[in-house]
Amino acid sequence: MNPELQALRDIHDPLGNPWWPLAPGWWLVLLALCAAAVLIWRQRRHRPLLPPLPLLRVGDWRWDAHRQLKRLQRAAPSTPLKVRAAELAELLKRIAMARHGRAHCAGLHGQAWLDWLTEQDPDGFDWRQEGQILIRAPYAPPQHPPEHSP
């Protein structure tokens, strides 16, 4: 046998997949993606009003509701409580109808409205107790500033 041929070796197939196991950098990338997904999922519950993208009509009611709420907050000191409560009740009803449909909540009023709000609130706010001002304020007598006596 030729001595030069003895130095040659047989061709061997590569073992397994060349991309597995993953390099440590890829494991870090996967871990970061999983962490980002969990954070986004958890933060999604804490943002009830996401502003829509500009120039898109998707979510217009959210943008309008956010603006209305900011306007109510700015006008709080100068506006009587009766007016603020009525405007807030109207805003809540509009948001509820936009999210759940007119058939589910448009006909609700009084204690039934507060019960429905309590059941639908993802944060667990007790509208039955804390929201009584929404159903009583429109029927309250007008507030007069206290008179100063000399």
Side-chain angles (χ1 to χ4, degrees), residues 32-45:
L33 286 175
C34 289
V38 167
L39 286 175
I40 290 171
W41 180 74
R42 291 188 72 197
Q43 289 296 327
R44 158 179 84 100
R45 294 183 304 169

Side-chain angles (χ1 to χ4, degrees), residues 20 33-34 52 69 71 80 82-83 86 93 107-108 128 146-147:
W20 193 261
L33 286 175
C34 289
L69 189 60
R71 187 187 61 77
K82 179 177 178 173
V83 174
K93 185 73 81 155
L108 297 174
R128 290 178 183 106
E147 295 179 17

Side-chain angles (χ1 to χ4, degrees), residues 44-55:
R44 158 179 84 100
R45 294 183 304 169
H46 300 294
R47 282 197 219 155
L49 294 173
L50 296 175
L53 296 173
L55 305 176

